[in-house]
Amino acid sequence: MNNKLLLVDGMALLFRSFFATAVHRNFMINENGIPTNGVNGFLKHLITAVETFQPTHVVCCWDMGSKTYRNDLFQDYKANRSEPPLELIPQFDLAKEAAAELGILNIGIKGYEADDCIGTLSALFSGEAEITIVTGDKDLLQLLNKQVQVALLQKGIGNYKVYTEEIFREETGVPPKALIDIKALMGDTSDNYPGVKGIGEKTAYKLIREYENIDRLLESLSLLPKGQQTKIQQSLKELELSRQLAEIHCEVPLVCTFEEALFSLKMEEAALMLRRHQIKGIERMLEKLNAREIS
């Protein structure tokens, strides 16, 4: 199989890039008064990922607004997160425009997260290509399989911890899908869902290693120490809810053909876009990428 599909978590790249420079209030404001620091870093990450993984096809996935079907299940989902900083807000559209001008397909569906779009596309195209997901979000490790690897962003640009299904199993002692049940048990403070009160990451992994999944664990509840039994029995509703929230939805109603994801760098459009928005330091990276594509 010669096709290689790169699925990019646009939200993760943009947020990471924005906060890396915003800490010094280095917003790189252009002549139209629009900050470009997040988009600048986003493009550096994006171009570097294309150089590193050399895909034939690329899709960049986005959240579309802050509310999703998970908020219908649990209204406090991500309620602990503050609104994006004002300097970041205009950069969402700018980042999508920049990706499109490079020749990259953007996908985002209202009511779903970027993760769900990535999960759906990886399920849709796993028969067509070897898939690499670039993200900073460990939740996406649940999508690992024989055709799908996940490159987790590390500090700096171009540094990844690449997980395959085998590496994940070796590191954790569980299959990737078990991550859903582990997150259901331990909850997620970042996404603000409860899990089982009093069960942390270490215990969650231990229980799932031993019982494989939550259903078997509940069947064997009487075998657990009294303390754990009580904690789980008192949190059965939260456990089921957390399992629904933790699972990436892989049947998002999106329309995308494999051909639409074909990547061909639009050098001229990209260069014009960079000049139009005064995004500095990217053109040389694009020239290098273009030279490699031509050769």
Side-chain angles (χ1 to χ4, degrees):
M1 190 183 290
N2 297 324
N3 289 325
K4 289 184 179 180
L5 171 61
L6 184 68
L7 295 175
V8 179
D9 183 348
M11 303 306 292
L13 267 61
L14 184 60
F15 270 86
R16 175 176 285 248
S17 303
F18 176 82
F19 287 109
T21 47
V23 69
H24 305 296
R25 302 203 62 77
N26 180 13
F27 296 120
M28 304 176 183
I29 293 165
N30 67 17
E31 64 186 14
N32 300 317
I34 296 172
T36 60
N37 64 317
V39 178
N40 187 290
F42 163 77
L43 285 169
K44 284 177 182 168
H45 275 295
L46 186 57
I47 294 161
T48 303
V50 170
E51 275 198 321
T52 304
F53 299 105
Q54 297 187 21
T56 52
H57 298 68
V58 187
V59 182
C60 197
C61 294
W62 302 92
D63 291 353
M64 300 299 280
S66 57
K67 299 280 185 247
T68 69
Y69 77 93
R70 290 181 178 86
N71 297 98
D72 297 332
L73 291 170
F74 181 53
Q75 70 177 54
D76 288 337
Y77 180 70
K78 291 190 177 179
N80 55 337
R81 297 199 187 181
S82 50
E83 289 294 309
L86 283 175
E87 293 88 354
L88 176 57
I89 292 167
Q91 298 192 60
F92 288 114
D93 285 341
L94 189 50
K96 288 174 204 159
E97 183 194 329
E101 295 288 10
L102 254 67
I104 290 170
L105 180 67
N106 288 307
I107 282 188
I109 303 288
K110 214 168 167 37
Y112 297 94
E113 293 180 36
D115 291 8
D116 301 314
C117 294
I118 289 170
T120 301
L121 291 167
S122 64
L124 200 58
F125 296 134
S126 59
E128 310 251 13
E130 292 169 4
I131 298 170
T132 300
I133 296 166
V134 173
T135 183
D137 184 353
K138 288 183 176 176
D139 289 353
L140 284 156
L141 293 170
Q142 66 183 258
L143 299 175
L144 290 165
N145 61 37
K146 293 278 181 281
Q147 288 301 119
V148 178
Q149 64 175 13
V150 174
L152 283 180
L153 297 164
Q154 305 295 293
K155 203 170 180 184
I157 288 172
N159 300 318
Y160 310 97
K161 181 166 187 182
V162 179
Y163 277 93
T164 59
E165 186 180 10
E166 290 72 25
I167 289 169
F168 182 85
R169 277 177 184 271
E170 277 168 31
E171 200 172 285
T172 63
V174 296
K177 275 272 181 257
L179 196 52
I180 300 164
D181 286 4
I182 287 162
K183 293 291 295 275
L185 282 163
M186 63 186 262
D188 188 322
T189 50
S190 161
D191 287 343
N192 199 42
Y193 58 82
V196 174
K197 198 174 180 183
I199 288 190
E201 184 175 17
K202 204 173 168 184
T203 306
Y205 268 99
K206 185 175 180 291
L207 289 171
I208 296 300
R209 273 189 210 109
E210 202 165 331
Y211 295 100
E212 291 183 25
N213 58 50
I214 282 169
D215 298 327
R216 285 196 184 170
L217 173 64
L218 294 177
E219 284 165 16
S220 313
L221 213 50
S222 60
L223 304 175
L224 298 183
K226 272 280 179 283
Q228 284 179 6
Q229 280 184 47
T230 306
K231 284 171 188 170
I232 291 169
Q233 276 165 337
Q234 286 174 346
S235 301
L236 288 174
K237 259 190 188 165
E238 291 84 352
L239 181 59
E240 185 45 45
L241 172 67
S242 297
R243 180 152 56 164
Q244 286 177 273
L245 296 171
E247 185 168 10
I248 290 171
H249 193 308
C250 293
E251 291 178 359
V252 171
L254 55 79
V255 179
C256 176
T257 65
F258 195 56
E259 288 67 38
E260 284 176 285
L262 189 66
F263 175 65
S264 177
L265 179 64
K266 299 199 290 192
M267 188 63 201
E268 226 166 281
E269 288 93 328
L272 282 170
M273 175 271 301
L274 293 172
R275 288 170 207 155
R276 187 166 65 246
H277 296 295
Q278 296 167 291
I279 299 171
K280 308 270 192 326
I282 304 293
E283 214 163 323
R284 193 170 288 176
M285 290 179 79
L286 282 178
E287 282 163 6
K288 198 175 147 198
L289 183 63
N290 195 41
R292 195 159 162 176
E293 280 216 333
I294 292 164
S295 65

